[in-house]
Amino acid sequence: MKTKLFVCMMTFALIFAGCGSQNGAGAQSAASSAESPGNSAAAESAAASAAAESPTAAISAAETPAAGESVPSEGSSDSNESSQGIPGAPEITPDAIPVSPESFSTLGPDAFITLSKYKEVTQIYPDDAVITEGVIANINFSGVIEGETEPRDGMVGEGYDLKVGSNTFIPGFEENLIGATRGETLVFDCLFPEDYTNPDLAGKNTTWTVLVNLIKTDSDEIFNSIVAESIITSYPQDIYNAVEAIGAFEGEDLKKAYTRRWLTAKAILYKENITPEDPAYQSIEDMILLSMGGYESEEAAVSAGYSSDLIHYYVEYYMACQVIEDNFAS
């Protein structure tokens, strides 16, 4: 969650910088970054200076999107150009639920929403489940270059959570995991791309040994299901107005879709007695303000042109995901 939060904070810093692209540079490996002409030289340089001998070499580099690109969060709708990279972009469907004249701050969540279960949610897939694109595979891995006998530094990992289909690893690696089950050990070959950022590895064949420890989903995907399954009778006027004030959403259905997500997040935090005064809330907000340009306060960020409502949407969305993650069933 911390890595994901950092990626999305970097996305946030680009929301008001003319970023309309939905290309998703942040999900690319160093190899695919080198292959993508749209990426900036700075991003490629960062990838090169990362742990260049690892199939995950671009993880730290990918956390800094290329200039002029936004990074849609997981679960976002790539076709939704109006979302402008805002985290948790929902699928847009016609919404007949009315906006209430009452406010969430006055009445609390029970007047508007019956939450779907968000505690003790099962994250782990059963033992007979197979890896498909979009799931998280917790893996141990090691890679040995053809002609060598031992893995190089950075080509071994244990307990690594890999979202299959994210293109985090070199091309071919994630595809070879599809269809595997928990406890299965896979052995397969993958080529480092010819234009890989580390020329000592470029074009070399590597034999990978991968043990699948677990197959699971992540907290924001579970949040998506909670949003979909919760029963909403009406939308609070204050949350709807805040979504309108962000100014990034065109059309009633899109505004209601974001109101639904924010209402769900706020309801979870309300049930957990988490308020903006809590240290955890302040900590996440401080990190967001730092990622936006080193702002020391929300007031300073707002004075620079950022939306206070969007900052709070952002914090509460990710705090709700963190609550879900902290309460996963064992």
Side-chain angles (χ1 to χ4, degrees):
M1 172 61 70
K2 289 181 180 178
T3 299
K4 184 191 306 176
L5 177 61
F6 183 80
V7 172
C8 293
M9 286 193 299
M10 295 307 300
T11 304
F12 181 90
L14 296 176
I15 288 173
F16 292 109
C19 303
S21 169
Q22 296 285 330
N23 294 334
Q28 296 178 354
S29 68
S32 59
S33 294
E35 294 170 338
S36 300
N39 287 344
S40 69
E44 293 178 2
S45 175
S49 64
E53 294 189 358
S54 168
T56 61
I59 290 176
S60 59
E63 289 173 349
T64 305
E69 294 185 335
S70 71
V71 186
S73 69
E74 294 163 5
S76 69
S77 171
D78 289 344
S79 63
N80 177 17
E81 294 296 333
S82 298
S83 70
Q84 297 189 10
I86 293 170
E91 296 293 336
I92 308 306
T93 55
D95 194 337
I97 297 172
V99 176
S100 169
E102 305 292 344
S103 68
F104 182 94
S105 59
T106 300
L107 299 181
D110 293 343
F112 307 98
I113 183 172
T114 301
L115 278 174
S116 176
K117 182 179 179 181
Y118 71 91
K119 285 190 174 182
E120 295 300 307
V121 177
T122 300
Q123 181 197 27
I124 308 301
Y125 285 86
D127 289 351
D128 59 352
V130 300
I131 293 176
T132 58
E133 188 168 307
V135 305
I136 292 176
N138 181 277
I139 59 173
N140 299 348
F141 64 87
S142 64
V144 178
I145 300 294
E146 186 174 359
E148 301 180 7
T149 58
E150 297 294 332
R152 297 189 186 186
D153 289 344
M155 296 179 67
V156 178
E158 292 188 358
Y160 184 87
D161 279 348
L162 171 62
K163 183 158 187 176
V164 178
S166 64
N167 300 320
T168 304
F169 281 36
I170 60 174
F173 187 101
E174 295 172 36
E175 291 84 347
N176 272 286
L177 302 185
I178 292 176
T181 58
R182 179 176 182 175
E184 186 173 350
T185 298
L186 307 171
V187 180
F188 54 85
D189 287 357
C190 277
L191 288 171
F192 280 89
E194 293 291 343
D195 54 359
Y196 192 65
T197 51
N198 182 353
D200 191 41
L201 294 175
K204 290 189 176 180
N205 188 51
T206 306
T207 299
W208 297 95
T209 302
V210 179
L211 169 63
V212 180
N213 298 315
L214 294 172
I215 304 171
K216 58 186 183 178
T217 188
D218 60 4
S219 53
D220 57 349
E221 290 181 2
I222 293 175
F223 178 81
N224 290 342
S225 67
I226 294 168
V227 171
E229 294 166 7
S230 294
I231 299 172
I232 296 174
T233 54
S234 63
Y235 295 118
Q237 187 74 59
D238 52 352
I239 300 179
Y240 180 84
N241 288 349
V243 168
E244 266 198 323
I246 292 172
F249 312 114
E250 296 180 1
E252 185 74 2
D253 290 331
L254 185 57
K255 292 174 186 176
K256 286 182 174 180
Y258 276 94
T259 302
R260 171 184 284 271
R261 296 184 71 79
W262 202 353
L263 171 61
T264 305
K266 280 182 173 291
I268 291 173
L269 299 188
Y270 186 98
K271 298 289 186 183
E272 296 295 309
N273 296 312
I274 297 173
T275 70
E277 289 72 37
D278 286 355
Y281 192 108
Q282 290 293 319
S283 177
I284 290 182
E285 184 169 345
D286 287 345
M287 286 190 292
I288 290 172
L289 294 171
L290 180 64
S291 75
M292 289 161 51
Y295 298 109
E296 294 183 357
S297 68
E298 182 180 325
E299 290 76 15
V302 170
S303 295
Y306 289 88
S307 165
S308 176
D309 292 307
L310 183 56
I311 293 170
H312 289 282
Y313 171 90
Y314 205 107
V315 175
E316 291 165 15
Y317 171 80
Y318 282 101
M319 287 209 73
C321 288
Q322 186 65 65
V323 168
I324 294 165
E325 188 169 304
D326 289 344
N327 287 281
F328 276 141
S330 58

